Amino acid sequence: MRVHKMKNLEYNTKYPSIEDLRNRAKQRIPRFAFEYLDGGCNEEINLRKNTSEIREVELQPKYLNANPNSSMKTELFGHEYDAPFGIAPVGLQGLMWPNASEILAKAAFEHNIPFILSTVTTTSIERASELTEGRAWFQLYHPTENSVRDDIIARAQAAECPVLVLLCDVPTFGFRPKEIKNGLSMPPKMTVNNMLQILGKPRWALETLKHGQPNFETLRPYMPNNLNLKHLGLFMDRLFSKRMPEEKIAPIRDLWKGKLVLKGVATEEDAERAIKLGLDGIIVSNHGGRQLDAGESTIKPLTRIADKYGDQIKVMMDSGIRSGPDIARTLACGADFTFMGRSFMYGAAALGKEGGNHTISLLKTQLQQVMHQIGCERTSDFPGHLKM
Ligand SMILES: Cc1cc2nc3c(=O)[nH]c(=O)nc-3n(C[C@H](O)[C@H](O)[C@H](O)COP(=O)(O)O)c2cc1C
């Protein structure tokens, strides 16, 4: 393996971009798993706009500044992270690459960036906390039963999760044609076609056999034994109430002692309500273009929300970010921090256990290059480089 070294950041030079990782992931995993990861809703307009509209943002260099000693270190919720980006919560990670959630949690910890564990992924809260020495954040899908909600929150508290993330942008199942065709809609089906796709990806099949069938580890205590796939979908549908109105957020604010973040904010109105509810942060997100094809890309509301409320609440963003320059553009538009979902999963699917370290090193290297190039000393200085 050829390795590129830059200030202890090592990555495999065969894959110097997220697009390279995406292409490799597509070759390595069954089509139904790749399309679950890669696809968006409906005609995938929102998915494509997320990245293309970030890329309309331009930065201005300050070449005549003294050469700055630039640093990517960024303070967030009382912790100094090594870079201004983190790993967004993704469900069913073990389906895309066996053990992907553990691979990414470990890599995030080693690189000192945040990892957010999804309620519906294949590692438990307790295990994620163990792997990250209590640094993993937890994203809660809202349970219908208050007793389940309280139990999960108590577990996250006992595991010393510093940040709880509530999701507000999944009031419905997104209409995703590829998943529907592949039988990955709820309830999921293992079709003959899917079985044939698995046979065509022996490495994935072997690793999956080695690690065993992925399970919803955090939800195990609430699931009946011997649930078959058909009933799993119906059970999940009953376990979670999808809409997240203010009345459901307020009691969680009272229960949760750590930092509380709302993910899926897309308008100034919801940002203002989050502030009134006493939340500590918001993630401006459209779920990576998986829910509302007719919606805006995230960079537009991010700019308006950061401008209006950036001094009252931490404003973060995800959806569409695929490179160091994309992270830089997003910070220049006023984000305090950024997250990515697919980029890291492409890395894990492409390179297995090396995928976490590779993807983080690559993004750090790219971002550092932009900072040196434009003369940006700290990540909070990016807005001063925005071309108006
Ligand atoms: C396959 C997949 C599964 C996801 N599952 C969850 C989830 O369980 N919880 C959640 O809050 N967000 C989930 N998301 C959304 C991500 O957290 C994030 O908002 C999105 O991936 C950002 O867009 P990007 O993939 O373009 O970076 C998922 C995204 C993908 C691609």
Side-chain angles (χ1 to χ4, degrees):
M1 180 179 99
R2 279 189 303 143
V3 162
H4 180 258
K5 274 193 178 184
M6 180 175 164
K7 287 193 180 168
N8 303 326
L9 297 179
E10 290 190 3
Y11 61 86
N12 182 335
T13 53
K14 271 171 83 179
Y15 307 100
S17 71
I18 300 298
E19 188 58 20
D20 292 319
L21 294 172
R22 178 179 177 270
N23 292 336
R24 181 75 183 123
K26 193 173 182 177
Q27 291 166 353
R28 281 237 300 185
I29 68 176
R31 199 183 72 214
F32 68 84
F34 181 76
E35 291 187 342
Y36 168 65
L37 169 62
D38 192 65
C41 62
N42 304 84
E43 279 64 54
E44 303 191 337
I45 307 289
N46 194 232
L47 171 76
R48 285 192 291 275
K49 274 203 311 202
N50 276 337
T51 304
S52 67
E53 292 186 2
I54 290 173
R55 291 181 174 180
E56 283 171 16
V57 175
E58 292 173 329
L59 302 182
Q60 288 185 319
K62 299 187 181 180
Y63 291 139
L64 298 190
N65 273 6
N67 196 16
N69 204 0
S70 64
S71 163
M72 286 184 287
K73 287 190 187 295
T74 304
E75 194 275 334
L76 181 64
F77 300 140
H79 183 87
E80 187 174 72
Y81 290 103
D82 279 1
F85 62 84
I87 302 182
V90 167
L92 272 173
Q93 283 162 307
L95 174 82
M96 291 166 273
W97 189 261
N99 232 15
S101 38
E102 295 206 5
I103 292 170
L104 295 181
K106 269 190 229 162
F109 175 68
E110 280 157 16
H111 279 269
N112 187 25
I113 64 164
F115 169 82
I116 313 181
L117 185 83
S118 160
T119 312
V120 292
T121 196
T122 42
T123 293
S124 68
I125 304 178
E126 291 77 10
R127 178 75 182 137
S129 170
E130 191 185 316
L131 290 169
T132 61
E133 296 185 6
R135 296 242 193 98
W137 301 14
F138 181 69
Q139 172 263 318
L140 181 74
Y141 266 107
H142 195 276
T144 313
E145 300 280 336
N146 283 347
S147 59
V148 175
R149 175 197 71 190
D150 295 354
D151 195 60
I152 296 182
I153 289 180
R155 286 171 59 195
Q157 216 118 243
E160 299 182 343
C161 280
V163 183
L164 184 69
V165 178
L166 304 176
L167 188 66
C168 66
D169 64 0
V170 187
T172 63
F173 287 122
F175 190 93
R176 303 183 202 132
K178 287 175 184 156
E179 287 176 28
I180 294 168
K181 282 192 216 158
N182 291 330
L184 271 179
S185 53
M186 289 294 190
K189 294 190 287 272
M190 193 39 78
T191 61
V192 174
N193 194 358
N194 290 351
M195 298 298 281
L196 288 173
Q197 291 172 30
I198 291 173
L199 291 175
K201 307 290 172 186
R203 186 68 201 274
W204 181 93
L206 212 76
E207 290 288 322
T208 301
L209 267 179
K210 207 164 90 189
H211 289 277
Q213 188 189 324
N215 277 308
F216 297 106
E217 295 295 339
T218 294
L219 300 175
R220 246 178 212 274
Y222 321 109
M223 292 170 73
N225 286 335
N226 303 325
L227 204 64
N228 66 26
L229 280 181
K230 179 156 178 262
H231 292 116
L232 175 66
L234 300 172
F235 168 77
M236 295 292 259
D237 203 20
R238 275 202 305 271
L239 185 66
F240 298 113
S241 71
K242 300 183 199 68
R243 198 162 281 281
M244 183 59 106
E246 284 179 332
E247 308 84 86
K248 287 189 185 156
I249 299 175
I252 298 178
R253 176 68 290 184
D254 295 337
L255 276 173
W256 180 251
K257 306 286 172 264
K259 300 291 180 190
L260 193 59
V261 165
L262 188 63
K263 173 173 182 280
V265 172
T267 62
E268 292 95 309
E269 186 188 332
D270 283 354
E272 191 167 332
R273 289 166 103 172
I275 294 167
K276 288 200 179 120
L277 283 160
L279 301 199
D280 302 287
I282 52 176
I283 304 181
V284 178
S285 169
N286 56 31
H287 219 89
R290 293 164 78 79
Q291 293 295 125
L292 178 64
D293 212 26
E296 278 186 298
S297 71
T298 44
I299 197 77
K300 287 184 174 167
L302 167 83
T303 307
R304 301 193 302 264
I305 291 169
D307 190 40
K308 203 160 169 192
Y309 301 110
D311 55 351
Q312 296 176 55
I313 193 163
K314 285 286 176 194
V315 180
M316 299 160 272
M317 190 193 102
D318 75 21
S319 301
I321 300 172
R322 300 283 182 272
S323 69
D326 290 348
I327 298 168
R329 291 173 168 114
T330 306
L331 297 174
C333 290
D336 293 303
F337 214 84
T338 60
F339 286 91
M340 281 154 277
R342 292 185 185 83
S343 299
F344 294 108
M345 284 307 304
Y346 293 142
L351 300 176
K353 64 182 183 348
E354 309 304 327
N357 173 54
H358 170 88
T359 314
I360 299 170
S361 295
L362 178 65
L363 292 166
K364 277 182 170 173
T365 305
Q366 291 182 353
L367 181 63
Q368 199 160 77
Q369 185 272 331
V370 177
M371 293 184 80
H372 286 317
Q373 176 73 24
I374 65 176
C376 177
E377 204 163 342
R378 289 161 306 174
T379 55
S380 56
D381 294 339
F382 270 111
H385 292 269
L386 183 66
K387 166 111 180 4
M388 295 292 185

